[in-house]
């Protein structure tokens, strides 16, 4: 089934002209799209309607986009694509820390937006083959009391389910399925986002910092997901 024919997208944007143009463009590419212009109402709608993907602007009346992301994450596991000001790196970093899966800078280029939306939805359905660098049949990996299941897109620590966003799970699976191998930021970025690394994007580092405590790693002295200076990250097979 083609995900773009059935996927429901909620655009949270108070700029009516931009929201209308974005909606019409996405609908023209086969998506079912709705728009919400108020942050407070957006929280209720995201939690109750559970859209397949949310496009969320940072600047909103009522609750801002960062607050919306923070409030819905405990009850909404779908991908959130955040719209940020081109020069505001802090919004991008904070957005990722709040649980956003990806971000795109304004002014929005329609083709770039469409590519990001499709990539996020493919990951949710498990059909994005770019995520894995290693080929193999194993869909479930176990490292001591940590279990990562790619078929179910879930992970458990000591039998307890780990709360991961879609983007966090993708990164964890990528690292775990390449355990014992140093993955450069360039490799990780290209595998997860399908575009070349620009040398400045901090999204990978932010997500690693969020994943570490969730898998029982010490953020200050990590033993499971190690930072390899000037290279990237190493997932350790045996801790």
């Amino acid at each position: 089934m083609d995900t773009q024919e059935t996927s429901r997208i909620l655009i949270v944007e108070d700029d009516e002209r931009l929201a209308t143009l974005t909606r019409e463009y996405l609908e023209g590419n086969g998506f079912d799209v709705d728009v919400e212009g108020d942050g407070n109402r957006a929280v209720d709608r995201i939690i109750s309607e559970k859209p397949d993907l949310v496009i969320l602007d940072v600047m909103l009346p009522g609750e801002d986009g960062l607050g919306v992301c923070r409030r819905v994450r405990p009850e909404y596991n779908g991908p959130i694509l955040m719209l940020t000001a081109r020069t505001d790196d802090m919004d991008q970093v904070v957005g990722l820390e709040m649980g956003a899966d990806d971000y795109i800078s304004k002014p929005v280029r329609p083709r770039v937006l469409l590519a990001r939306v499709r990539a996020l939805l493919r990951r949710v359905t498990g059909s994005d083959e770019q995520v894995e660098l290693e080929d193999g049949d194993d869909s479930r990996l176990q490292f001591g009391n940590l279990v990562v299941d790619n078929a179910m897109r879930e992970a458990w620590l000591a039998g307890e389910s780990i709360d991961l966003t879609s983007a966090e799970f993708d990164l964890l699976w990528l690292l775990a399925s390449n355990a014992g191998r140093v993955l450069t930021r360039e490799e990780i970025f290209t595998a997860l986002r399908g575009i070349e690394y620009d040398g400045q994007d901090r999204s990978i580092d932010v997500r690693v910092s969020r994943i570490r405590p969730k898998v029982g790693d010490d953020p200050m002295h990590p033993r499971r997901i190690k930072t390899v200076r000037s290279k990237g990250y190493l997932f350790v097979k045996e801790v």
Side-chain angles (χ1 to χ4, degrees), residues 190-206:
T190 300
L192 295 182
R193 296 185 64 180
I195 57 178
E196 293 184 3
Y197 181 58
D198 61 8
Q200 298 179 345
D201 193 292
R202 299 172 61 187
S203 60
I204 301 302
D205 303 314
V206 172

Side-chain angles (χ1 to χ4, degrees), residues 41-235:
R41 290 196 300 267
V43 171
D44 295 334
R45 292 189 62 179
I46 292 169
I47 293 174
S48 63
E49 297 175 15
K50 296 290 193 299
D52 296 301
L53 181 140
V54 175
I55 297 175
L56 178 62
D57 189 23
V58 171
M59 300 299 295
L60 293 168
E63 188 87 56
D64 67 16
L66 299 175
V68 171
C69 191
R70 175 182 54 80
R71 287 177 59 189
V72 303
R73 260 315 176 204
E75 300 181 63
Y76 175 71
N77 293 323
I80 296 176
L81 176 61
M82 187 160 282
L83 303 180
T84 70
R86 177 178 295 277
T87 58
D88 199 338
D89 292 337
M90 184 55 65
D91 277 351
Q92 296 169 358
V93 172
V94 174
L96 293 168
E97 290 176 341
M98 292 295 180
D101 295 279
D102 201 355
Y103 60 82
I104 188 168
S105 299
K106 289 184 174 182
V108 178
R109 289 179 292 170
R111 290 185 180 180
V112 174
L113 176 66
L114 180 61
R116 297 285 182 86
V117 165
R118 285 174 170 167
L120 287 170
L121 289 171
R122 283 199 303 269
R123 291 174 203 161
V124 172
T125 61
S127 62
D128 192 349
E129 297 178 355
Q130 280 189 306
V131 172
E132 294 184 54
L133 294 181
E134 289 291 333
D135 293 326
D137 297 328
D138 293 334
S139 62
R140 174 173 286 217
L141 301 173
Q142 183 163 0
F143 307 90
N145 64 353
L146 174 65
V147 178
V148 188
D149 191 309
N150 193 37
M152 298 181 66
R153 292 185 62 80
E154 291 188 36
W156 299 266
L157 182 66
E160 296 292 327
S161 179
I162 302 173
D163 183 20
L164 297 165
T165 67
S166 176
E168 289 168 356
F169 179 85
D170 288 337
L171 177 54
L172 175 60
W173 176 258
L174 180 66
L175 293 169
S177 60
N178 289 275
R181 173 187 170 190
V182 176
L183 296 183
T184 66
R185 287 179 175 80
E186 290 79 3
E187 288 177 310
I188 296 171
F189 196 85
T190 300
L192 295 182
R193 296 185 64 180
I195 57 178
E196 293 184 3
Y197 181 58
D198 61 8
Q200 298 179 345
D201 193 292
R202 299 172 61 187
S203 60
I204 301 302
D205 303 314
V206 172
R207 288 197 183 111
V208 168
S209 69
R210 285 178 55 86
I211 291 171
R212 277 174 170 150
K214 294 183 179 184
V215 299
D217 215 356
D218 182 349
M220 300 302 296
H221 304 284
R223 300 175 60 204
R224 171 68 72 193
I225 304 177
K226 289 184 172 292
T227 301
V228 181
R229 188 179 296 275
S230 301
K231 292 186 178 180
Y233 292 100
L234 170 69
F235 189 96

